[in-house]
Amino acid sequence: MTRTQRAWHLWTWRLIAPLALAYIVIALLARR
Amino acid sequence: MGHRYWHIQWTPYKKRYDAAVAVCLVAYLAVFYLASRLVWGGAHQLSDEIILMRATATAAALMLHIALSLGPLARLDRRFLPLLYNRRHLGVATFVVAAAHGAIAIGYYHGFGTVNPLLSLVTSNTQIRSISSFPFEWFGVLALVILLVMAFTSHDFWLEKLSSPLWKRLHMLVYIAWLAVVVHVALGAMQSEHSIMYPVLLGVGAVWLGAIHILAGTREARREVIRPRGDGWIDVGRVEEIPDAGAATVSLPGGGRVAVFRYDDKLSAVTDACAHQGGPLGEGRIVDGCITCPWHGFTYRPQDGCAPAPFTEKLATYALRVEAGRVYVSDSPFAPGTPVEPVQLQEVPHAVA
């Protein structure tokens, strides 16, 4: 794996994991 | 103009891998079905379609999480490497199960009207201003389309045609597919059923995947420290720090990485990036005298970086020296496939402390 690929893997998850968690909480609060 | 037809290169290992995936999947679906029948019996009885829809949905979600976990797990612990070798097979199986879920859902909810079921799927609900009634199916379709493209191109033919960087970028879309699945469940099942299991399982999945990816990535970044001597040689570390039949990797000042392999009391150095898809060779092992890439099992002779016949891939090789038990690698590569005499450890005094 190149340095760019490694950085890409790392930063994608630093971004999308909290995004997914935030989304789950929002969807949970919006439940009727 | 014609294209060469490439067979899938079946090996006994691939067949065992696929058989294990199939057995686990069938067992999961059977247990899910029976458990659903037991839990929701009597007046609350569920239809077969609903149970199958849930069984395939949870199976596909679980398989997607497993497929996404294999990369970082293998980087954190080599024992997971065998599961990584044929991750593509698991990916294709995930698509098949997800497609079954989609087909059952479309047939059940959209198949009995006058509108084309596929058209009905994307047009019957347009409440895009609502969260609890949002057309969650759209995200399921997005995830399924991404998995379809990935499954369709999960063959070395497409890897060659699309080029390795583009193929890898295309397959990184799986992260978007995962996010789409999370939204699909959060807006769909989580809204229509109030079981606490949905948010809990989704949250656990997000924390787990985020944690292992960040942990594996951070650990790798820490190994980026370069120790140049200033004379064209890079310090790799002590000989005994290199695992037998394994490698130590070191970054080069000009970018890129070298993997220094230790095998049969010898040392050889090649570039860390596999010629197939840039896989981390240094995380692989020497199997039957050849460096074996942890990603797809491509093999190379350590002494010249050449794949054994009939394969033609070649890796850049590097000069090595051992001084006072420390290994040093040259910071400039030889042309791919250049033979380099391996360093014999028993000839070097104090080489092994």
Side-chain angles (χ1 to χ4, degrees):
Chain A
M1 204 170 0
T2 63
R3 199 177 292 178
T4 318
Q5 277 178 334
R6 272 197 303 280
W8 179 236
H9 280 273
L10 184 58
W11 281 102
T12 323
W13 282 100
R14 280 182 177 160
L15 189 72
I16 68 168
L19 199 66
L21 277 175
Y23 202 87
I24 294 163
V25 172
I26 291 170
L28 192 62
L29 296 175
R31 288 208 295 199
R32 282 175 297 187
Chain B
M1 197 179 82
H3 291 299
R4 192 154 56 96
Y5 181 78
W6 295 359
H7 292 279
I8 296 174
Q9 286 164 347
W10 287 104
T11 60
Y13 179 73
K14 283 184 183 177
K15 287 178 181 169
R16 278 205 303 276
Y17 191 101
D18 287 5
V21 170
V23 166
C24 289
L25 178 62
V26 170
Y28 177 89
L29 295 177
V31 168
F32 194 100
Y33 185 87
L34 292 174
S36 298
R37 278 270 167 268
L38 283 175
V39 174
W40 288 281
H44 302 287
Q45 200 171 3
L46 295 168
S47 70
D48 283 346
E49 291 90 341
I50 293 284
I51 297 178
L52 268 178
M53 207 186 307
R54 289 181 181 179
T56 47
T58 50
L62 185 64
M63 289 162 83
L64 184 63
H65 280 79
I66 293 172
L68 283 169
S69 302
L70 291 181
L73 280 180
R75 267 178 275 149
L76 289 169
D77 191 325
R78 285 165 174 272
R79 279 173 295 183
F80 288 99
L81 274 177
L83 295 176
L84 186 68
Y85 281 134
N86 294 295
R87 185 171 51 174
R88 272 191 235 174
H89 292 226
L90 185 61
V92 173
T94 304
F95 163 71
V96 171
V97 178
H101 164 74
I104 299 166
I106 292 168
Y108 190 72
Y109 291 115
H110 301 272
F112 300 104
T114 52
V115 183
N116 179 314
L118 289 177
L119 189 65
S120 164
L121 175 73
V122 290
T123 56
S124 60
N125 179 0
T126 52
Q127 297 184 59
I128 53 171
R129 285 172 185 278
S130 159
I131 290 182
S132 57
S133 306
F134 195 91
F136 66 96
E137 298 91 341
W138 295 359
F139 292 97
V141 172
L142 172 66
L144 197 56
V145 167
I146 292 175
L147 291 182
L148 168 72
V149 172
M150 288 177 61
F152 186 75
T153 56
S154 280
H155 191 291
D156 278 346
F157 173 84
W158 285 105
L159 182 61
E160 183 87 357
K161 287 291 158 223
L162 297 172
S163 82
S164 160
L166 180 62
W167 189 91
K168 194 69 200 167
R169 243 173 271 156
L170 184 72
H171 281 236
M172 289 279 289
L173 283 177
V174 69
Y175 293 174
I176 304 296
W178 174 77
L179 201 55
V181 165
V182 170
V183 176
H184 176 68
V185 179
L187 295 179
M190 213 171 101
Q191 302 299 323
S192 55
E193 295 163 52
H194 279 200
S195 165
I196 193 69
M197 289 307 282
Y198 288 104
V200 167
L201 286 176
L202 278 183
V204 167
V207 169
W208 163 255
L209 287 178
I212 56 172
H213 276 88
I214 292 167
L215 190 64
T218 317
R219 195 185 273 192
E220 290 241 321
R222 220 179 294 145
R223 289 193 302 171
E224 294 286 332
V225 184
I226 305 169
R227 290 168 286 188
R229 291 205 316 189
D231 57 356
W233 294 90
I234 312 289
D235 187 0
V236 180
R238 296 192 61 78
V239 172
E240 61 270 21
E241 286 170 0
I242 306 176
D244 195 32
T249 56
V250 67
S251 297
L252 297 176
R257 247 179 182 189
V258 183
V260 181
F261 281 89
R262 176 175 172 177
Y263 56 104
D264 305 333
D265 283 326
K266 287 186 281 192
L267 294 176
S268 286
V270 295
T271 174
D272 188 40
C274 180
H276 173 223
Q277 216 188 323
L281 289 173
E283 293 172 22
R285 296 185 64 76
I286 302 265
V287 179
D288 296 332
C290 280
I291 297 164
T292 304
C293 179
W295 279 6
H296 305 104
F298 273 54
T299 53
Y300 305 91
R301 287 192 297 262
Q303 63 274 22
D304 61 5
C306 293
F311 303 104
T312 54
E313 288 81 8
K314 288 176 183 170
L315 303 172
T317 50
Y318 289 82
L320 279 176
R321 61 202 278 188
V322 176
E323 285 171 18
R326 291 195 83 80
V327 184
Y328 298 91
V329 64
S330 164
D331 64 3
S332 50
F334 292 117
T338 306
V340 178
E341 191 63 32
V343 173
Q344 294 284 345
L345 287 179
Q346 61 267 45
E347 289 173 10
V348 180
H350 319 297
V352 180

